[in-house]
């Protein structure tokens, strides 16, 4: 195996025997083979479209879901991945028959490969993985694109589930994925990567539209972090449709619902706040789940990443459920919706009823709900505070959290930033500082949480509105710095989106991506002044000086 897609990759270079995330070699190989098949679909669909056979929507949705299941901490299940590989081949067959005789020229092996022989999958996978591309810079650019596409695909899938689909997003995913099978020049490949940033913005905007039109605009909310007396269900991941259906189905059952990790922002939506049995948020970011799922005592529902391997000492294997593209061996899976129907969460609810109430691990409240609509409602106050000098600078500290000790950097930055700064956040990175008592500036909390990682889109909207309010030419002219933590592939999509918006001088940590080769890094540094995080004090000083 060779996998270097996340920040915690072994030795900062690549996992080669087993993932640091716990992914087995066989699983990593099957994911490579699935991506190879998705590339084949992309090749066939793009060629078909060029020849006038439009299969973009169906292919785009399939490929988006397939890419999503290969994101870090989504799918650890070999049997499920084998099913995916078979489904992808069926899909290719269907496409081939539709475009037969209409397209000319040779097709890439990824479009032509078919095999029912599961025993051969591991060997085939070894020939089509990341290392199949020998040149380091070409590999880096191809993987930067595929990894960014995984993030885009996840957001596109969420939007589609809520009924918002855009052909331009699917077409980009398919065409750009197909481009990774071609021998392109470095400039052409850089072009695809930068265009992925544009597509990431379009996709996050589509998801924002999907979320807010279904559930209203997030609003300032105090979220309880203690527990009640009833048994509970802990829902994690990013899927708001699952959240909606779970809340409806648990109403009046005596079972409470709590959010975990990236589901915390569900508490900010008007449509969910009306449920009295949505009790609040339990615990922290994904990587603490082995302990927190244990003490939660109740049923757990994983709607997307991040699920992590269940340890031998853990006892929650029988009360955790997966759904959607998440899969874990031996864990019960809640099936997809049938057309026009909701998912059936009754198994999860029945399990919860038999469980003890959650054990309290903390008490108090956290405040969030500062997505674009809410912040813009406060715009006058914010603008006034900037003009009067009460707010000197905004620091965007969005992104992911992770296990590494070095992430203490983000806590320290939050603690040591001057008191006249505001932290803008989104994603699970916030758990490094959202329970610190950092105070407020004239009633504006010093940590403004916009929501999930995809709600970084909100932060961009806020920045653009501030730019306009101050009559500036570009968001880079604002008193605004970016100090981003990343872990998995959605954060890469967000990063590419920021680059598309021409944001310069982003600090990225705790380490730079292993999939960015020295040659590609040079391009990023020259064009965008991207830099690794450094020492806390020095970084704060530099950011405060606008550097
Ligand atoms: Fe390693 Fe990250 Fe890949 Fe897991 S997802 S195998 S930790 S690089
Ligand atoms: Fe977190 Fe997994 Fe990235 Fe959506 S839940 S931000 S790491």
């Amino acid at each position: 195996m060779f996998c270097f897609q996340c920040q915690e990759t072994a030795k900062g270079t690549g996992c080669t025997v087993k993932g640091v995330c716990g992914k087995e070699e066989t699983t990593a190989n099957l994911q490579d083979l699935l991506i190879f098949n998705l590339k084949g679909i992309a090749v066939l669909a793009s060629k078909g479209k060029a020849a006038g056979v439009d299969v973009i929507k169906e292919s785009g949705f399939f490929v988006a879901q397939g890419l999503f299941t290969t994101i870090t901490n989504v799918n650890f299940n070999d049997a499920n991945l084998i099913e995916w590989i078979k489904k992808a081949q069926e899909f290719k067959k269907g496409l081939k028959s539709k475009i037969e005789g209409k397209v000319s020229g040779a097709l890439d092996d990824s479009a032509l490969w078919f095999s029912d022989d599961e025993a051969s999958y591991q060997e085939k996978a070894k020939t089509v993985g990341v290392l199949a591309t020998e040149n380091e810079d070409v590999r880096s650019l191809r993987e930067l694109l595929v990894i960014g596409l995984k993030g885009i695909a996840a957001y596109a899938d969420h939007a589609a589930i809520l009924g918002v689909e855009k052909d331009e997003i699917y077409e980009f995913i398919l065409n750009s994925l197909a481009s990774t099978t071609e021998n392109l020049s470095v400039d052409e490949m850089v072009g695809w990567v930068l265009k992925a940033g544009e597509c990431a913005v379009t996709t996050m905007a589509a998801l924002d539209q999907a979320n807010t039109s279904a559930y209203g605009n997030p609003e300032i909310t105090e979220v309880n972090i203690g527990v009640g007396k009833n048994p509970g269900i802990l829902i994690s991941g990013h899927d708001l449709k699952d959240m909606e259906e779970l809340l409806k189905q648990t109403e009046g059952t005596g079972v409470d619902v709590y959010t975990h990790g990236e589901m915390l922002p569900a508490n900010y939506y008007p449509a969910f706040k009306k449920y009295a049995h949505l009790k609040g948020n339990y615990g922290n970011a994904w990587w603490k789940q082995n302990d927190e799922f244990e003490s939660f005592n109740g049923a757990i529902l994983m709607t997307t990443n991040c699920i992590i391997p269940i340890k031998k000492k853990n006892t929650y294997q029988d009360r955790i459920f997966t759904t959607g593209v998440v899969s874990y061996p031996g864990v019960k899976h809640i099936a997809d919706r049938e057309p026009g129907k909701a998912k059936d969460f009754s198994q999860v609810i029945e399990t919860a009823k038999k469980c003890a109430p959650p054990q309290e691990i903390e008490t108090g409240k956290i405040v969030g709900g500062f997505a674009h609509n809410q912040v813009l409602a406060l715009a006058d106050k914010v603008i006034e505070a900037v003009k009067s000098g009460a707010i000197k600078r905004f620091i965007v500290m969005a992104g992911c959290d992770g296990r590494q000790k070095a992430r203490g950097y983000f806590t320290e930055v939050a603690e040591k930033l001057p008191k006249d700064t505001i932290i803008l956040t989104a994603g699970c990175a916030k758990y490094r500082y959202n329970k610190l008592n950092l105070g407020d500036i004239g009633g504006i909390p010093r940590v403004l949480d916009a929501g999930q990682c995809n709600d970084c889109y909100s932060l961009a909207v806020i920045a653009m509105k501030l730019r306009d309010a101050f009559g500036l030419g570009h968001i880079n002219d604002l008193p605004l710095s970016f100090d981003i933590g990343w872990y998995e592939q959605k954060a890469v999509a967000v990063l590419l989106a920021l680059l598309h918006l021409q944001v310069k001088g982003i600090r990225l940590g705790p380490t730079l991506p292993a999939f960015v080769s020295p040659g590609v890094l040079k391009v990023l540094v020259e064009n965008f002044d991207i830099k690794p995080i450094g020492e806390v004090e020095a970084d704060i000083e530099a950011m405060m000086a606008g550097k």
Side-chain angles (χ1 to χ4, degrees), residues 1 3-6 8-10 15 19-21 23 72:
M1 75 175 273
C3 181
F4 60 175
Q5 66 175 352
C6 84
E8 292 183 5
T9 193
C15 297
V20 172
C21 60
K23 186 161 79 179
T72 303

Side-chain angles (χ1 to χ4, degrees), residues 72-91:
T72 303
N73 294 339
V74 174
N75 195 336
F76 290 89
N77 192 350
D78 288 7
N80 181 268
L81 286 160
I82 288 172
E83 261 177 54
W84 262 107
I85 291 165
K86 291 188 172 166
K87 274 193 290 179
Q89 293 183 64
E90 280 306 306
F91 204 98

Side-chain angles (χ1 to χ4, degrees), residues 26 95 99 124 139 184 237 284 294 319 393 465 469 496:
T26 51
L95 284 179
I99 66 172
K124 178 66 185 174
R139 186 195 305 149
L184 302 180
N284 296 280
E294 200 59 49
R319 52 183 170 89
R393 203 161 188 89
K465 293 283 177 191
L496 294 177

Side-chain angles (χ1 to χ4, degrees), residues 21-270:
C21 60
K23 186 161 79 179
E24 297 292 342
E25 169 155 34
T26 51
T27 317
N29 290 340
L30 291 169
Q31 291 186 351
D32 286 346
L33 189 58
L34 172 58
I35 289 174
F36 175 69
N37 277 281
L38 298 175
K39 285 180 182 176
I41 293 175
V43 167
L44 293 168
S46 335
K47 286 217 183 250
K49 168 87 190 193
V53 189
D54 193 349
V55 284
I56 294 298
K57 197 161 185 177
E58 55 196 283
S59 313
F61 184 63
F62 184 88
V63 168
Q65 288 199 310
L67 286 173
F68 195 173
T69 208
T70 70
I71 282 183
T72 303
N73 294 339
V74 174
N75 195 336
F76 290 89
N77 192 350
D78 288 7
N80 181 268
L81 286 160
I82 288 172
E83 261 177 54
W84 262 107
I85 291 165
K86 291 188 172 166
K87 274 193 290 179
Q89 293 183 64
E90 280 306 306
F91 204 98
K92 284 197 293 187
K93 259 187 212 150
L95 284 179
K96 276 192 83 182
S97 66
K98 279 188 191 156
I99 66 172
E100 209 105 74
K102 298 189 177 100
V103 300
S104 55
L107 287 171
D108 185 69
D109 184 39
S110 58
L112 299 171
W113 180 83
F114 292 95
S115 172
D116 283 339
D117 176 19
E118 288 170 28
S120 70
Y121 286 2
Q122 290 292 326
E123 282 314 306
K124 178 66 185 174
K126 288 178 193 157
T127 66
V128 299
V130 171
L131 297 180
T133 303
E134 277 168 24
N135 179 291
E136 189 186 33
D137 292 328
V138 174
R139 186 195 305 149
S140 177
L141 285 166
R142 282 184 180 165
E143 293 310 315
L144 178 52
L145 179 58
V146 172
I147 287 169
L149 286 173
K150 290 187 184 195
I152 292 171
Y155 296 151
D157 179 49
H158 285 303
I161 288 171
L162 292 171
V164 177
E165 289 184 279
K166 292 211 155 110
D167 274 5
E168 63 175 299
I169 296 172
Y170 288 155
E171 203 167 337
F172 181 82
I173 292 175
L174 295 167
N175 289 343
S176 57
L177 195 58
S179 84
T180 64
T181 67
E182 291 162 20
N183 285 319
L184 302 180
S185 69
V186 165
D187 282 352
E188 286 171 312
M189 287 186 286
V190 170
W192 277 112
V193 169
L194 296 181
K195 270 192 270 169
E198 182 178 11
C199 183
V201 174
T202 310
T203 312
M204 286 194 282
L207 180 52
D208 182 78
Q209 182 204 331
N211 285 340
T212 54
S213 52
Y215 306 120
N217 277 298
E219 48 196 43
I220 305 179
T221 307
E222 283 191 335
V223 181
N224 173 33
I225 55 174
V227 299
K229 294 202 165 35
N230 294 335
I233 295 172
L234 190 56
I235 173 170
S236 192
H238 303 69
D239 195 305
L240 297 184
K241 183 84 178 164
D242 288 339
M243 182 75 194
E244 177 191 359
E245 292 176 351
L246 181 69
L247 283 171
K248 279 189 184 149
Q249 293 173 31
T250 41
E251 207 171 15
T253 60
V255 171
D256 289 337
V257 174
Y258 295 81
T259 56
H260 187 264
E262 272 287 72
M263 198 55 92
L264 158 64
N267 289 281
Y268 313 151
Y269 284 89

